[in-house]
């Protein structure tokens, strides 16, 4: 059954009253469903509860004002539905792993929740197919549940310049599937040839050379940059890889970005094998 129209009424109601006290019963009433049925549909369709959606939207709208105004952070939190500075700070840290004051100071990009999806902006992305040499990285391992939270801490703590000894360099984010634990391990760091600073807690990692599909995420601003990154990853795994004819090659997926550039576009590297290699392998097996 298509619940899009009813859900849209609920989302419109939330947006019209985002900074007010919102009651689940009132939101459900805007759709004509009972609270129980509405909650089940909302979570099934959006992947989160109405409460989680409201919190993420309030934090997103707050981020605009933190970055672009000189209002007190406590005032911004209060105006966006948080009843105290402490509650606002707690919610912001829970969402982004950094404090609102740290975000204002560094003005880095965050993974925000917008009213409209940006997924369509990556629908026609085409990669460059390049042969790349091996490279050695000096990396820090993430202890956050998701990569965006660790990127926030990495950028706000100035880890890149600490590792490089004060220079602006390109950062690498590397995804490594941990077979033993059945989860993704994530690392951020810089080229070892550029690592001349404080290397406390770092490890060495090699990115093997070979054939890669290299995607550049669509240009964005600081507010929708992270969402465009996620939309690009979804496009790669959900559409490009299954339809391209290429197979995944040996090595790790990784992404590169230089925060100081403020270009809000990153490169994503996927190790691949040429389409012909599978056919050749099949022929050898047959003989």
């Amino acid at each position: 059954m298509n619940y899009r129209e009813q859900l849209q009424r609920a989302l419109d109601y939330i947006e019209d009253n985002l900074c007010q006290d919102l009651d689940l019963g009132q939101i459900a009433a805007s759709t004509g469903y009972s609270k129980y049925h509405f909650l089940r549909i909302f979570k099934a369709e959006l992947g989160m509860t109405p409460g989680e959606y409201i919190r993420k939207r309030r934090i997103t709208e707050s981020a605009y004002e933190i970055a672009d105004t000189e209002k007190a952070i406590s005032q911004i939190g209060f105006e966006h539905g948080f009843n105290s500075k402490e509650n606002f700070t707690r919610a912001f840290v829970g969402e982004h792993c950094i404090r609102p004051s740290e975000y204002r100071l560094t003005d880095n990009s965050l993974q925000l929740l917008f009213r409209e999806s940006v997924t369509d902006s990556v629908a026609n992305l085409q990669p460059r197919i390049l042969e790349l040499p091996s490279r050695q990285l000096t990396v820090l391992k993430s202890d956050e549940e998701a990569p965006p939270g660790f990127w926030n801490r990495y950028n706000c703590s100035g880890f890149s310049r600490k590792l490089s000894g004060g220079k602006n360099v390109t950062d690498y984010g590397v995804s490594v599937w941990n077979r033993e634990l059945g989860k993704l391990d994530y690392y951020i760091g810089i080229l070892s040839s550029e690592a001349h600073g404080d290397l406390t807690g770092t490890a060495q990692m090699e990115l093997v050379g070979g054939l890669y599909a290299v995607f550049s995420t669509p240009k964005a601003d600081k507010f929708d940059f992270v969402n465009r990154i996620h939309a690009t990853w979804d496009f790669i795994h959900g559409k490009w890889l299954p339809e391209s004819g290429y197979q995944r090659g040996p090595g790790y997926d990784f992404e590169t970005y230089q925060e100081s550039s403020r270009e809000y576009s990153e490169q994503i590297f996927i190790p691949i094998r040429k389409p012909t290699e599978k056919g050749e392998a099949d022929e050898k097996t047959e003989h």
Side-chain angles (χ1 to χ4, degrees), residues 14-78:
I14 290 172
E15 292 298 327
D16 291 342
N17 300 276
L18 188 60
C19 298
Q20 310 301 319
D21 289 333
L22 281 163
D23 177 76
L24 180 59
Q26 294 174 326
I27 302 172
S30 71
T31 68
Y33 293 132
S34 68
K35 286 196 294 185
Y36 171 78
H37 192 51
F38 168 68
L39 182 60
R40 185 173 62 84
I41 293 169
F42 194 100
K43 189 166 185 178
E45 294 291 323
L46 275 74
M48 66 187 82
T49 67
E52 291 169 333
Y53 178 87
I54 291 166
R55 185 186 71 251
K56 289 174 182 288
R57 285 290 300 123
R58 285 174 171 172
I59 291 174
T60 291
E61 295 303 312
S62 301
Y64 280 94
E65 294 203 33
I66 293 171
D68 293 341
T69 75
E70 296 182 359
K71 282 185 181 179
I73 288 174
S74 56
Q75 180 184 353
I76 292 172
F78 182 76

Side-chain angles (χ1 to χ4, degrees), residues 159-174:
F159 279 130
S160 184
R161 290 176 63 85
K162 289 177 183 177
L163 293 176
S164 69
K167 294 182 179 180
N168 291 326
V169 297
T170 296
D171 295 304
Y172 288 70
V174 186

Side-chain angles (χ1 to χ4, degrees), residues 33-273:
Y33 293 132
S34 68
K35 286 196 294 185
Y36 171 78
H37 192 51
F38 168 68
L39 182 60
R40 185 173 62 84
I41 293 169
F42 194 100
K43 189 166 185 178
E45 294 291 323
L46 275 74
M48 66 187 82
T49 67
E52 291 169 333
Y53 178 87
I54 291 166
R55 185 186 71 251
K56 289 174 182 288
R57 285 290 300 123
R58 285 174 171 172
I59 291 174
T60 291
E61 295 303 312
S62 301
Y64 280 94
E65 294 203 33
I66 293 171
D68 293 341
T69 75
E70 296 182 359
K71 282 185 181 179
I73 288 174
S74 56
Q75 180 184 353
I76 292 172
F78 182 76
E79 290 177 351
H80 289 85
F82 297 92
N83 58 16
S84 71
K85 181 179 180 180
E86 290 73 22
N87 284 343
F88 176 52
T89 298
R90 189 179 303 114
F92 199 95
V93 171
E95 187 69 24
H96 297 303
C97 304
I98 56 173
R99 299 169 64 86
S101 56
E102 292 178 302
Y103 173 57
R104 170 167 279 175
L105 182 64
T106 58
D107 196 25
N108 68 294
S109 49
L110 300 176
Q111 184 179 10
L112 302 175
L113 178 64
F114 296 99
R115 186 171 183 172
E116 296 180 340
S117 172
V118 298
T119 304
D120 289 345
S121 66
V122 303
N124 296 311
L125 275 183
Q126 292 300 319
R128 292 172 294 147
I129 307 299
L130 301 176
E131 191 78 31
L132 300 178
S134 297
R135 60 195 73 185
Q136 193 77 16
L137 302 182
T138 298
V139 297
L140 294 164
K141 184 177 181 180
S142 171
D143 55 1
E144 300 293 346
E145 290 186 4
F150 192 52
W151 273 108
N152 292 341
R153 281 179 46 210
Y154 182 90
N155 289 328
C156 287
S157 299
F159 279 130
S160 184
R161 290 176 63 85
K162 289 177 183 177
L163 293 176
S164 69
K167 294 182 179 180
N168 291 326
V169 297
T170 296
D171 295 304
Y172 288 70
V174 186
S175 302
V176 180
W177 182 250
N178 188 323
R179 295 180 181 274
E180 183 178 346
L181 298 179
K183 71 178 187 70
L184 186 72
D185 288 336
Y186 195 78
Y187 301 81
I188 303 178
I190 65 175
L191 289 173
S192 295
S193 60
E194 298 176 330
H196 305 300
D198 182 358
L199 307 185
T200 304
T202 62
Q204 295 297 302
M205 173 180 287
E206 183 181 8
L207 297 178
V208 299
L211 197 65
Y212 283 81
V214 185
F215 295 82
S216 295
T217 63
K219 289 286 187 178
D221 60 26
K222 63 188 175 186
F223 296 113
D224 67 352
F225 177 42
V226 180
N227 282 344
R228 290 182 186 268
I229 293 172
H230 280 256
T232 303
W233 277 108
D234 289 343
F235 169 78
I236 292 169
H237 291 296
K239 186 174 176 62
W240 189 81
L241 272 172
E243 297 178 3
S244 67
Y246 285 94
Q247 294 179 296
R248 183 177 293 281
Y252 306 132
D253 295 351
F254 67 95
E255 50 198 336
T256 64
Y257 180 64
Q258 188 176 119
E259 178 71 13
S260 61
S261 71
R262 290 298 197 239
E263 291 183 355
Y264 301 111
S265 176
E266 73 164 26
Q267 291 191 314
I268 294 175
F269 297 76
I270 308 295
I272 57 174
R273 290 190 178 97

